Amino acid sequence: MSSRLSLNQGTVRTATLAEALDACVEVGVESIGVWRDRVEPIGLDEAARRLSDSGLRLSSLCRAVFVTAPEGPERRAAIDENHRAIDETATLYAAAAAGSTAMLVMVAGPLAPGERDLAAARGRVRDAIGELESHARDAGVRLALEPLHPMFAADRSVVSTLGTALDLVEPFPKETVGVIVDTFHLWWDAQLAADIARAGREGRVASYQVSDWITPVPSDLMLARGMMGDGHIDFATITRSVAATGFDGDVEVEIFNQEIWDSPYVDVVRLMRERYDALIEPYLRSDES
Amino acid sequence: MSSRLSLNQGTVRTATLAEALDACVEVGVESIGVWRDRVEPIGLDEAARRLSDSGLRLSSLCRAVFVTAPEGPERRAAIDENHRAIDETATLYAAAAAGSTAMLVMVAGPLAPGERDLAAARGRVRDAIGELESHARDAGVRLALEPLHPMFAADRSVVSTLGTALDLVEPFPKETVGVIVDTFHLWWDAQLAADIARAGREGRVASYQVSDWITPVPSDLMLARGMMGDGHIDFATITRSVAATGFDGDVEVEIFNQEIWDSPYVDVVRLMRERYDALIEPYLRSDES
């Protein structure tokens, strides 16, 4: 492959799958991370056909639904939904160009209403992975647990650091369950280099996602990410750490940002490629000086 | 002492020192954490006199200025300013009721403009403490480094976890340099219990500050704190961890929140006391069941 850059569809949130694929082809981006809610309007078969026609690799399917609900109908529905998401990942992956891994992104989920026990909620994440793992293995899909920034600990992900994610996935086969290193979520952590090295030793680096931390922090925290180079993150250092693990997969750019969403798709993808080529790609090679 | 509750003046941000002291006396709060910018309008001598007249303890002076500027005039001015803050802490402490420790709160500071090297910035924090430590020791003042939530890593504190704070203060005498456990900043951390225990073993727990994490997160992150009980934090567990270290100092309530700032001071202090008595105080006793 000539470039490992992948457009996560979240970066062009308002584009249809067809529009996102076209923008990638036009700019020479060879891989895409697909969102399920962009597949739903056209159906899985049509999405698979379009992906196949595009010639792109599939770097991930985003994403499994939250799995922190306590036992009961809500939890059962979430597990069922994630079984379907595993099958969708396998179907889309089979239609995509070769060279990537079939991967389903998992975000843990929030505390239950009124709950204050983070450890218990994390335990429910582990239990959910335990319920899904054998199906994922049979389907040839890797589950990739993504720790989110601690500012989302109450309402989106009780898993906030790479170290915590690694602890949670420890009981499961590394071939089926990995973790995601996302710069926006993890850049601040003084343990990050050590935890990335640990993830490498334990064979858990499933994906590397890049976007920047910008200030002042936008008022909607969900839309607080920036294009690489517009913020404070040291991509050279983090990328070197990831490369040193032997990670050789696609690198996803996932940016939730209203200004970027309001820009023409092709312009966004072109800028993304420029920044990736300048700030990320040089440090992915183990022989870079 | 009958209660270890302390009002951090940040909780009644618009009150003068006199108004804050009066509210404490009226509600039976016996200790206060004073802000330098509330001392400045009346001068240090007058502030000391009012503090003495109130009969309250001084739980801390807030705060030293940021110390992450690279070497140069800005850094020299910050170090000088913090030498003055050490002296002010000693002066105010001498005027306050006995039973607390003279303590100056330190918040690390941001990355330098354009800088992306968190490790280097953290090194400058350590260097600054090294410059201030002997003066603090001579003045009988303890420097208390407060890790802030990772969402402030770029623009307010490159020190984001208790573990990182403990690593930074390691070279210095524990009597003169400690760390602050603040629930709002640290509650999400799966390593928190272990790090509090480590802080205890290493004799570094200088202060325990409490406020809650509320959702949805207010758009101004600086004003995102809530009254204990209004959010997601498990105060029982964290307070037990702090108590288990043998910490026997005052417990500060520090809440930056516009709605609270807009309420009558005495109402705020009364509510703070009710919540403290229900949610914190029972877990401070090592013999609680």
Side-chain angles (χ1 to χ4, degrees):
Chain A
M1 64 184 84
S2 57
S3 171
R4 292 162 59 184
L5 171 61
S6 174
L7 171 70
N8 183 293
Q9 260 194 290
T11 304
V12 289
R13 199 77 189 92
T14 60
T16 63
L17 179 59
E19 289 167 332
L21 291 167
D22 286 349
C24 285
V25 169
E26 183 166 341
V27 179
V29 171
E30 303 169 20
S31 184
I32 189 165
V34 169
W35 276 75
R36 293 183 78 208
D37 63 358
R38 305 279 83 191
V39 169
E40 196 270 332
I42 56 175
L44 186 64
D45 292 344
E46 175 70 8
R49 193 186 63 73
R50 287 184 183 274
L51 186 59
S52 173
D53 288 349
S54 74
L56 265 66
R57 297 185 300 276
L58 177 73
S59 54
S60 74
L61 185 65
C62 301
R63 60 176 174 73
V65 299
F66 294 151
V67 291
T68 44
E71 193 51 68
E74 184 187 342
R75 182 173 184 80
R76 285 305 107 206
I79 298 289
D80 290 348
E81 184 65 30
N82 288 340
H83 279 299
R84 282 190 291 276
I86 290 170
D87 290 332
E88 288 174 22
T89 306
T91 297
L92 290 173
Y93 178 70
S100 67
T101 302
M103 190 175 76
L104 176 62
V105 174
M106 291 192 72
V107 173
L111 289 167
E115 180 182 45
R116 293 185 173 83
D117 190 342
L118 284 167
R122 290 173 186 139
R124 298 197 298 274
V125 176
R126 174 176 281 167
D127 292 346
I129 295 172
E131 286 197 62
L132 295 165
E133 188 273 328
S134 71
H135 178 198
R137 189 174 354 135
D138 293 345
V141 170
R142 198 176 195 194
L143 304 174
L145 182 63
E146 179 173 12
L148 299 197
H149 194 284
M151 67 190 178
F152 298 121
D155 50 4
R156 299 194 69 79
S157 172
V158 294
V159 178
S160 304
T161 68
L162 193 59
T164 301
L166 288 169
D167 289 347
L168 281 180
V169 304
E170 216 156 38
F172 309 110
K174 63 179 187 291
E175 295 76 13
T176 335
V177 185
V179 297
I180 298 179
V181 178
D182 182 302
T183 56
F184 173 82
H185 293 304
L186 304 176
W187 73 282
W188 54 269
D189 189 352
Q191 300 303 312
L192 184 58
D195 283 340
I196 290 174
R198 174 187 165 196
R201 285 193 307 276
E202 300 179 355
R204 298 288 182 180
V205 184
S207 177
Y208 181 40
Q209 298 188 343
V210 293
S211 65
D212 215 336
W213 180 272
I214 53 177
T215 51
V217 177
S219 58
D220 183 342
L221 296 180
M222 279 299 290
L223 306 183
R225 305 176 189 209
M227 185 62 75
M228 299 81 74
D230 288 350
H232 302 277
I233 295 180
D234 178 1
F235 289 103
T237 298
I238 300 177
T239 302
R240 280 192 191 104
S241 293
V242 171
T245 68
F247 173 75
D248 61 0
D250 291 335
V251 179
E252 282 192 13
V253 175
E254 186 187 41
I255 308 174
F256 303 156
N257 177 301
Q258 194 61 54
E259 197 177 326
I260 288 175
W261 288 352
D262 291 341
S263 304
Y265 309 134
V266 171
D267 293 355
V268 169
V269 176
R270 189 168 286 122
L271 179 63
M272 170 188 92
R273 176 161 191 173
E274 288 169 11
R275 297 293 180 85
Y276 171 86
D277 287 348
L279 298 172
I280 311 294
E281 198 276 337
Y283 308 100
L284 278 176
R285 298 187 298 259
S286 54
D287 61 346
E288 57 93 11
S289 60
Chain B
M1 64 184 83
S2 58
S3 171
R4 292 162 59 185
L5 171 61
S6 174
L7 172 71
N8 183 292
Q9 259 195 289
T11 304
V12 289
R13 200 78 189 89
T14 59
T16 64
L17 179 59
E19 289 167 332
L21 291 167
D22 286 349
C24 285
V25 169
E26 182 166 341
V27 180
V29 171
E30 302 170 21
S31 184
I32 189 166
V34 169
W35 276 75
R36 294 183 77 208
D37 64 357
R38 305 279 85 192
V39 169
E40 196 271 331
I42 57 175
L44 185 63
D45 292 343
E46 175 69 9
R49 194 186 61 74
R50 288 184 182 274
L51 187 59
S52 173
D53 289 350
S54 75
L56 266 65
R57 297 185 299 277
L58 177 73
S59 54
S60 74
L61 184 65
C62 301
R63 60 177 175 73
V65 298
F66 294 151
V67 290
T68 44
E71 193 51 70
E74 184 186 343
R75 182 173 185 81
R76 285 304 109 206
I79 299 289
D80 289 348
E81 184 64 30
N82 288 339
H83 279 299
R84 282 190 290 276
I86 289 169
D87 291 332
E88 288 174 22
T89 306
T91 298
L92 290 173
Y93 178 70
S100 66
T101 301
M103 189 174 77
L104 176 63
V105 175
M106 292 192 71
V107 173
L111 289 167
E115 179 182 46
R116 293 185 173 83
D117 190 342
L118 284 166
R122 290 173 186 137
R124 298 197 297 275
V125 175
R126 174 175 282 167
D127 292 346
I129 295 172
E131 287 197 60
L132 295 165
E133 188 273 328
S134 71
H135 177 198
R137 190 172 355 132
D138 293 345
V141 170
R142 197 176 196 194
L143 305 174
L145 182 62
E146 179 173 12
L148 299 197
H149 194 283
M151 66 190 178
F152 298 121
D155 50 4
R156 298 194 70 78
S157 172
V158 294
V159 178
S160 304
T161 67
L162 193 60
T164 300
L166 288 168
D167 289 346
L168 282 179
V169 303
E170 216 155 38
F172 308 110
K174 63 178 187 289
E175 295 75 14
T176 336
V177 185
V179 298
I180 298 179
V181 178
D182 182 302
T183 56
F184 173 82
H185 293 304
L186 304 175
W187 73 283
W188 54 269
D189 190 351
Q191 300 302 313
L192 184 57
D195 284 340
I196 290 173
R198 175 188 165 193
R201 284 194 307 276
E202 298 178 356
R204 298 287 182 181
V205 184
S207 176
Y208 181 40
Q209 297 188 344
V210 293
S211 66
D212 215 337
W213 181 272
I214 53 177
T215 52
V217 177
S219 58
D220 184 341
L221 297 179
M222 280 299 290
L223 306 183
R225 304 176 190 211
M227 185 62 76
M228 299 81 75
D230 287 349
H232 302 276
I233 295 179
D234 178 1
F235 290 103
T237 298
I238 299 177
T239 302
R240 280 192 190 103
S241 294
V242 170
T245 68
F247 173 74
D248 61 0
D250 290 334
V251 179
E252 282 192 14
V253 175
E254 186 186 41
I255 308 176
F256 304 156
N257 177 301
Q258 194 62 53
E259 196 177 327
I260 288 175
W261 287 353
D262 291 341
S263 304
Y265 310 135
V266 172
D267 293 354
V268 170
V269 176
R270 189 168 286 123
L271 178 63
M272 171 188 91
R273 177 161 191 172
E274 288 170 10
R275 297 294 180 85
Y276 171 87
D277 287 348
L279 298 173
I280 310 293
E281 199 275 337
Y283 308 101
L284 278 176
R285 299 188 297 261
S286 55
D287 61 346
E288 57 94 11
S289 60

